[in-house]
Amino acid sequence: MGDGMSGPGWMPEAPVTLSRLLAWHPQPIPVLPAACLLLGLLYVLGVWRLHRRGDRWPPGRTVAFLLGIATIIEVTATGIGGYGMQLMSIHMVQHMVLSMVSPVLLLLGAPITLALRTLPAAPHGRLGAREVLVHVLHSRAAKVITAPWFTLPLFVGSLYGLYFTSLFTTLMSTWWTHDLMLVHFLGVGLLFFYPILGVDPGPRRPNPVLGILELFGGMPFHAFFGIAVMMESSLTTTVFTHHPATWSGTPLSDEHAAGAIAWAFSEIPSVLVLLVLFMQWRRADTRAAVRQDRAADRDNDAELTAYNQYLAGLNQGGS
């Protein structure tokens, strides 16, 4: 790697192959994989606790959350983690998965809802984990960091402000800042998609129409970033300047491949999120229709009767 990376870290010497990318090879200090395994275990324990007391939890949510955990482990505890420190294209796969695929899957698992349903309520007058979580969800800070004017610039700025400045070189200089950057990718994705999906309770009521607008507001900038990297005539960073001579391609061609990956990934999660939002929209319309039908049954359709009387009055007045 161009400037090198201090601290413990494994970087492969053999050329890239699909089997080497997907082979199990965690870093000497596997912080992210260990944290993911812990989160997955806590989630499964929460689901088990619900079933034990006879409460239902949708299996699809469990599958989605565990798939999200699996995608994080796949890009941090396999050959992708090592090759991502030497090739910008592989690094971009890491970035796109952590910021756009893993967050969507994790949020579809509704982990906050699961926590609220499984955490015990503290005795009267005391503050427990459940009460703290509820307070955070309704805090002013939560309203700020989940607002579109905050999440959208953060999501877009994390691309342009990172790769087109010297910040990327700084973060790639040590193993712990590199891991911090990966956590940042995941956190930015969670913040961006959390209010859009609206699966878990939050500081503002979910709105599928507003979610679609927010999604369309961010994805074009993501695609433009990929196109900009693809069109660069020189390297945007010195981090990936050199790689072993036995490897095929050049650093510039690898950077162009990274731009193509960023551009392509802007489409994949968008389709998934749009499907979820349209399903939520349809369910909201169905619930509204059911409420109206029930209200009509209770009052013998008084609203329709009143409207018919209003039309009859207008007709008599016209005559």
Side-chain angles (χ1 to χ4, degrees):
M1 191 169 56
D3 298 329
M5 180 182 290
S6 64
W10 167 78
M11 287 179 281
E13 297 180 357
V16 179
T17 63
L18 182 60
S19 60
R20 289 169 182 160
L21 281 175
L22 302 181
W24 179 257
H25 205 306
Q27 292 295 328
I29 304 180
V31 177
L32 290 179
C36 287
L37 290 175
L38 177 60
L39 288 176
L41 177 61
L42 291 174
Y43 188 96
V44 171
L45 287 176
V47 175
W48 174 79
R49 184 171 182 177
L50 284 182
H51 283 286
R52 188 181 179 186
R53 72 187 190 197
D55 292 339
R56 181 181 177 275
W57 183 256
R61 289 185 175 181
T62 303
V63 172
F65 188 85
L66 294 181
L67 281 176
I69 292 292
T71 57
I72 300 174
I73 294 176
E74 181 60 37
V75 297
T76 58
T78 62
I80 294 176
Y83 283 103
M85 298 178 187
Q86 295 179 288
L87 295 173
M88 188 174 181
S89 57
I90 308 302
H91 165 82
M92 194 60 67
V93 171
Q94 270 189 311
H95 185 166
M96 296 300 104
V97 169
L98 291 175
S99 64
M100 302 187 70
V101 178
S102 302
V104 173
L105 293 171
L106 292 176
L107 291 170
L108 289 178
I112 296 177
T113 301
L114 180 63
L116 291 174
R117 292 184 60 181
T118 55
L119 289 173
H124 182 69
R126 296 187 180 181
L127 194 63
R130 189 179 189 279
E131 288 70 24
V132 170
L133 180 57
V134 172
H135 175 74
V136 170
L137 289 174
H138 295 88
S139 65
R140 179 171 296 181
K143 293 180 180 178
V144 171
I145 65 174
T146 58
W149 55 263
F150 183 89
T151 59
L152 185 56
L154 180 65
F155 187 73
V156 175
S158 293
L159 286 171
Y160 295 88
L162 180 66
Y163 294 102
F164 293 145
T165 67
S166 60
L167 180 60
F168 182 68
T169 303
T170 301
L171 293 176
M172 289 290 288
S173 62
T174 64
W175 72 269
W176 71 269
T177 53
H178 173 261
D179 275 5
L180 182 64
M181 177 173 58
L182 298 182
V183 173
H184 168 77
F185 293 156
L186 180 63
V188 168
L190 288 171
L191 275 180
F192 180 71
F193 289 107
Y194 168 57
I196 291 177
L197 289 170
V199 176
D200 273 324
R204 59 190 178 96
R205 181 175 297 179
N207 186 322
V209 178
L210 182 59
I212 292 173
L213 293 177
E214 291 180 30
L215 181 66
F216 283 143
M219 291 304 105
F221 292 100
H222 211 280
F224 293 156
F225 165 79
I227 294 173
V229 173
M230 291 170 61
M231 296 179 63
E232 284 288 341
S233 58
S234 60
L235 293 175
T236 58
T237 174
T238 60
V239 172
F240 304 104
T241 303
H242 304 288
H243 57 260
T246 56
W247 292 15
S248 61
T250 65
L252 184 59
S253 65
D254 181 68
E255 181 172 308
H256 290 165
I261 291 170
W263 174 76
F265 260 93
S266 64
E267 306 296 330
I268 299 173
S270 301
V271 174
L272 176 60
V273 173
L274 278 176
L275 288 175
V276 173
L277 292 175
F278 277 124
M279 290 175 61
Q280 292 177 350
W281 195 352
R282 183 178 179 180
R283 289 174 182 172
D285 288 342
T286 302
R287 287 194 296 266
V290 170
R291 286 195 300 267
Q292 292 176 356
D293 291 341
R294 289 176 178 174
D297 292 339
R298 287 194 301 267
D299 57 14
N300 294 321
D301 215 351
E303 184 177 353
L304 179 60
T305 301
Y307 182 68
N308 289 334
Q309 292 176 350
Y310 170 73
L311 293 179
L314 291 177
N315 187 38
Q316 293 176 359
S319 301

